[in-house]
Amino acid sequence: MMRSLWIAKSGMEAQQMQLDHISHNLANSGTNGFKQAHAVFEDLMYQNLRQSGANTAEGTQLPTGLQVGLGVRPVATSRQFSQGNLQQTDNGLDVAIQGKGFFQVEMPDGTIGYTRDGSFKLDNQGNLVTNNGYRVLPGFQFPTEATNVTIGQDGTVSFLRPPNPTPEVLQQIELADFVNPGGLDPRGQNIFVETAASGPPVTGVPNENSMGALAQGYVETSNVNVVQELVTMIQTQRAYELNSKAIQTSDQMLQKLGQL
């Protein structure tokens, strides 16, 4: 069997994987806090048909070798954590992070999830929660009569309780950051979780110690560049077509060989 068939097959599978990532990016171009991702590839092992630097029968040394690569494979997903655009919503419970950091939320199993989606809501008990009902940490429970909720750049959450004109401070939002945010595990629902690759979270107050500041009344939109994704899609399609053409050419060569 010609090696080119298997090499081109691996190329088609790799480009299909890249197209899967592009499709996912485009599908989430309107998702709050979404971070675009692309597949990362590496070449497969080589068949070493002639070793570089080997001695020949004439006593000379080969300056080059002869190696045949066996194709390509996807090995990782590279996620870009660059800042998305801030979109004004005029909703007092919407909060965007300007800079580094993640909001911390309590998952149903008691573990902590991390998100950049700050489109928060209140549940039936007055708790500040995500769109999926996950409680925002360290925990914010507003009384029924609370009005004029204010979230400062430093994460301080306060409200008014009529008829008292003095704001009452509830809690302060803490952000978390990671040495390697690319190592976080995406779980869907705009949630990431800690892994050994990401390292442990480093928590801190917004707008201090390299943590981003908070912007009330805004949400962070997806950082997907639609034009860039469309260009990458065209490149992926052309690469897929070229690999399929290599398979067709190998098949034609085998047919010629069978006719001899």
Side-chain angles (χ1 to χ4, degrees), residues 134-190:
Y134 302 151
R135 193 166 62 96
V136 179
L137 298 177
F140 303 87
Q141 188 173 31
F142 293 90
T144 306
E145 61 273 18
T147 62
N148 295 346
V149 175
T150 302
I151 302 175
Q153 288 188 343
D154 62 352
T156 301
V157 179
S158 60
F159 63 92
L160 291 179
R161 191 197 303 261
N164 187 0
T166 304
E168 297 183 28
V169 176
L170 188 63
Q171 277 273 21
Q172 189 173 24
I173 296 176
E174 284 190 349
L175 299 181
D177 196 20
F178 296 86
V179 174
N180 176 29
L184 291 171
D185 184 19
R187 292 292 178 87
Q189 302 178 342
N190 296 345

Side-chain angles (χ1 to χ4, degrees), residues 8-164:
K9 169 183 173 292
S10 70
M12 294 178 69
E13 291 176 340
Q15 298 307 319
Q16 179 60 57
M17 178 68 72
Q18 182 71 293
L19 184 60
D20 292 341
H21 282 73
I22 295 172
S23 300
H24 185 64
N25 290 339
L26 292 174
N28 286 280
S29 59
T31 301
N32 292 335
F34 178 80
K35 301 304 178 185
Q36 67 174 347
H38 290 99
V40 179
F41 306 103
E42 70 177 10
D43 51 350
L44 292 176
M45 66 177 65
Y46 287 77
Q47 287 186 346
N48 202 346
L49 305 180
R50 191 174 74 164
Q51 181 65 44
S52 301
N55 294 323
T56 65
E58 292 78 16
T60 60
Q61 192 177 63
L62 297 176
T64 59
L66 176 60
Q67 300 90 22
V68 178
L70 298 181
V72 64
R73 68 170 182 175
V75 293
T77 296
S78 175
R79 185 166 284 103
Q80 303 297 324
F81 281 91
S82 59
Q83 175 81 50
N85 295 325
L86 300 189
Q87 179 177 337
Q88 187 172 7
T89 64
D90 294 326
N91 183 347
L93 296 180
D94 286 341
V95 189
I97 302 175
Q98 302 179 81
K100 299 173 61 178
F102 295 84
F103 296 110
Q104 303 176 83
V105 298
E106 184 179 13
M107 305 294 288
D109 59 358
T111 60
I112 299 178
Y114 304 91
T115 182
R116 294 279 298 191
D117 181 8
S119 55
F120 299 138
K121 305 290 187 297
L122 293 181
D123 64 9
N124 58 1
Q125 297 180 355
N127 293 306
L128 190 66
V129 297
T130 67
N131 287 309
N132 291 294
Y134 302 151
R135 193 166 62 96
V136 179
L137 298 177
F140 303 87
Q141 188 173 31
F142 293 90
T144 306
E145 61 273 18
T147 62
N148 295 346
V149 175
T150 302
I151 302 175
Q153 288 188 343
D154 62 352
T156 301
V157 179
S158 60
F159 63 92
L160 291 179
R161 191 197 303 261
N164 187 0

Side-chain angles (χ1 to χ4, degrees), residues 1-13 44-50 66-72 243 245-251 253-254 257:
M1 181 62 67
M2 299 179 67
R3 281 186 293 260
S4 58
L5 288 171
W6 295 99
I7 294 172
K9 169 183 173 292
S10 70
M12 294 178 69
E13 291 176 340
L44 292 176
M45 66 177 65
Y46 287 77
Q47 287 186 346
N48 202 346
L49 305 180
R50 191 174 74 164
L66 176 60
Q67 300 90 22
V68 178
L70 298 181
V72 64
N243 279 282
K245 183 63 176 178
I247 291 180
Q248 294 176 2
T249 303
S250 298
D251 181 58
M253 293 173 66
L254 286 173
L257 181 62

Side-chain angles (χ1 to χ4, degrees), residues 177-251:
D177 196 20
F178 296 86
V179 174
N180 176 29
L184 291 171
D185 184 19
R187 292 292 178 87
Q189 302 178 342
N190 296 345
I191 298 293
F192 296 91
V193 296
E194 173 191 349
T195 67
S198 67
V202 178
T203 59
V205 175
N207 210 22
E208 291 184 9
N209 299 326
S210 77
M211 293 293 184
L214 301 187
Q216 184 181 16
Y218 292 83
V219 292
E220 180 186 3
T221 61
S222 169
N223 69 347
V224 173
N225 186 327
V226 176
V227 175
Q228 177 185 345
E229 294 298 321
L230 292 177
V231 172
T232 307
M233 181 188 295
I234 295 173
Q235 294 174 339
T236 302
Q237 181 184 10
R238 294 294 177 264
Y240 188 92
E241 291 174 352
L242 290 173
N243 279 282
S244 65
K245 183 63 176 178
I247 291 180
Q248 294 176 2
T249 303
S250 298
D251 181 58

